[in-house]
Amino acid sequence: MTSPTTGRLLITDAHLLHPEQGELTDTSWIEVADGRITATGTGRAPAAPDGVTVIDATGATVMPGLVDAHVHILVTSLNPIERASWTPGYTTVRALQEAGRMLRRGFTTVRDVGGADHGMARALDEGLMPGPRLVFGGKALSQTGGHGDLRPLSEDRVPCCQHQPDFARVADGPDAVRTAARDEFRKGARHLKMLLSGGVASPHDEVSAVQYTDEEIRAAVAEADNHNRYVTVHAYHPRGINRALRAGARCVEHGNLLDDETIELLLTHDAFLVPTLITYEQLAETGRRHGLGEASYRKIDDVRQAGLGALEKAHKAGVNLVYGSDLLGPMHAHQLDEFTLRAQVQPPADLIRSATTTAARLLRMEGLIGTLATGAHADLLVVDGDPLKDISILTRPQEHLKYVIKAGTPV
């Protein structure tokens, strides 16, 4: 590679992977200027003017950078006692360091669904620390006693102010939900997450529990629509999922226990499903070692066994499936292993679309990310091999990932 001197880049002699078609081109080139893709072509590349960075990618594959649509960069430890002593500054620095590691794995865009804020997104956007494009939703909304209410049972005080960096905030009743939604959108949230069922990481509720009422969900959906945003919901059981979809939620996180009606509603509403299989595998394997409580640990099997079957059913039905990992603390290192699990029921081309073009549609960034189209952000990966034939090329970056390029700049 020649030395970078300007915002212009030329990659030559590569095969381009276009997720839309699920195909590789013959030997091709791709040109970048000011962080955007300006041209692509097959055959011999045009001569590079002086000052243009040139990457000779002979035989390699160039593809769009990956999107992980379910991350929590703020949660860098599973131990709540440890996290309780962290200051906001320390918490943020740890979060941004994890974001940098995500970029080096090949994720050039991530959607944070609980915790990240406008300051973190700005720091990454300004290049103060290396990391992916951060699409954040602020704090998730939880009812009292819900998945995001992590107070110990001995605590009687109502959560107040909620200025500390955290995963969620408590809001009860349609009016309080509207106020909380407006506040998160005021702070720049690109979506709003509601917690509609219990979860593995919350020790005091059940996975099958139904949280929030139809009126509260509709209030959140109305506010999101007013702000040109959308609602995504944490839910495992169809009792929660199906109510949310009927009320206008656009996306479902997890969905491990979905039923046939769920599939029908997802298709009817052109909604999105973000399975997160790897987190349950990692929690089952290492949760105790990393500080996960026993009450949480016992719930893992409730969703772990059903997850792959739910994914297969949704895939066969043609549901909009998006890549998500949902890893916490030290488990973030396994972010790419979601590909391995999904590969049991999905072909590589569909897996790659879930982490590129379909993810871009969910984020309402189609044509801007997840594609090699002219005018898109130049978020690119250069990998040895063909991921359409062997998805493990993406899961072993230490062997196959030659370059990560974010907004036209090699990392």
Side-chain angles (χ1 to χ4, degrees):
M1 182 181 75
T2 62
S3 300
T5 57
T6 71
R8 300 181 65 187
L9 173 70
L10 178 65
I11 304 175
T12 65
D13 298 318
H15 301 287
L16 305 186
L17 193 165
H18 292 283
E20 298 90 337
Q21 295 81 29
E23 297 175 351
L24 285 186
T25 65
D26 294 332
T27 300
S28 301
W29 52 271
I30 184 167
E31 189 177 61
V32 170
D34 299 321
R36 301 276 185 154
I37 298 171
T38 55
T40 63
T42 57
R44 186 173 181 177
D50 291 342
V52 173
T53 302
V54 178
I55 294 177
D56 180 355
T58 300
T61 296
V62 175
M63 62 180 289
L66 301 174
V67 181
D68 187 336
H70 191 125
V71 305
H72 297 285
I73 67 168
L74 199 71
V75 186
T76 56
S77 170
L78 278 172
N79 190 323
I81 297 174
E82 180 184 27
R83 293 201 309 268
S85 66
W86 293 354
T87 65
Y90 180 71
T91 302
T92 298
V93 170
R94 287 180 61 105
L96 292 177
Q97 283 190 327
E98 186 56 53
R101 288 188 283 269
M102 291 180 179
L103 179 62
R104 291 190 290 274
R105 294 181 198 115
F107 292 95
T108 53
T109 299
V110 297
R111 182 184 66 147
D112 190 286
V113 286
D117 61 24
H118 61 97
M120 297 175 192
R122 179 176 178 178
L124 294 173
D125 185 55
E126 293 179 357
L128 300 182
M129 295 186 73
R133 181 172 289 99
L134 177 61
V135 179
F136 69 95
K139 294 177 181 177
L141 303 193
S142 171
Q143 69 174 40
T144 295
H147 179 52
D149 186 352
L150 300 180
R151 293 173 295 167
L153 297 181
S154 58
E155 177 63 75
D156 289 329
R157 290 179 297 175
V158 176
C160 174
C161 305
Q162 302 176 97
H163 294 315
Q164 289 285 104
D166 209 346
F167 159 66
R169 61 189 292 173
V170 173
D172 292 306
D175 289 341
V177 166
R178 288 190 191 96
T179 299
R182 290 169 181 172
D183 191 41
E184 294 304 324
F185 292 135
R186 175 187 69 84
K187 293 181 290 187
R190 298 278 294 276
H191 58 269
L192 184 72
K193 183 180 179 184
M194 296 191 79
L195 307 173
L196 300 192
S197 76
V200 170
S202 48
H204 308 309
D205 56 11
E206 295 301 320
V207 166
S208 61
V210 175
Q211 299 173 6
Y212 276 128
T213 64
D214 291 352
E215 291 75 18
E216 290 166 317
I217 300 169
R218 285 196 292 267
V221 168
E223 286 302 325
D225 187 61
N226 288 345
H227 288 82
N228 297 316
R229 301 292 188 259
Y230 65 91
V231 169
T232 189
V233 298
H234 159 102
Y236 290 99
H237 196 280
R239 291 173 63 203
I241 301 171
N242 298 353
R243 288 171 51 241
L245 291 169
R246 286 193 291 267
R250 185 166 179 264
C251 183
V252 175
E253 313 296 319
H254 315 304
N256 299 50
L257 306 175
L258 57 74
D259 62 10
D260 290 340
E261 184 184 2
T262 306
I263 298 293
E264 182 179 346
L265 287 166
L266 286 165
L267 294 171
T268 299
H269 294 279
D270 195 27
F272 295 80
L273 177 65
V274 186
T276 57
L277 305 183
I278 187 58
T279 190
Y280 314 113
E281 296 298 315
Q282 284 301 305
L283 287 170
E285 184 176 333
T286 65
R288 284 193 182 94
R289 187 165 74 245
H290 293 312
L292 189 71
E294 196 64 31
S296 294
Y297 202 86
R298 288 195 298 268
K299 294 189 285 186
I300 294 171
D301 279 345
D302 291 347
V303 294
R304 182 186 180 196
Q305 300 300 325
L308 192 64
L311 171 65
E312 184 174 24
K313 181 183 291 189
H315 167 66
K316 289 180 176 179
V319 169
N320 297 316
L321 292 168
V322 179
Y323 191 96
S325 60
D326 192 25
L327 293 164
L328 309 173
M331 298 187 303
H332 278 123
H334 295 274
Q335 189 177 17
L336 289 162
D337 292 341
E338 179 78 10
F339 281 117
T340 304
L341 294 174
R342 295 193 187 196
Q344 298 176 71
V345 297
Q346 287 186 278
D350 289 323
L351 279 173
I352 291 169
R353 275 188 282 268
S354 76
T356 53
T357 52
T358 310
R361 283 201 295 118
L362 168 60
L363 274 56
R364 292 176 172 163
M365 298 181 71
E366 55 266 52
L368 295 176
I369 63 171
T371 180
L372 300 183
T374 300
H377 291 293
D379 298 346
L380 311 170
L381 306 183
V382 181
V383 298
D384 276 328
D386 181 359
L388 291 169
K389 293 181 178 178
D390 181 4
I391 200 68
S392 73
I393 285 170
L394 298 182
T395 65
R396 295 181 292 170
Q398 68 279 8
E399 299 175 31
H400 297 286
L401 184 56
K402 299 180 68 173
Y403 292 98
V404 177
I405 298 167
K406 166 77 182 306
T409 301
V411 178

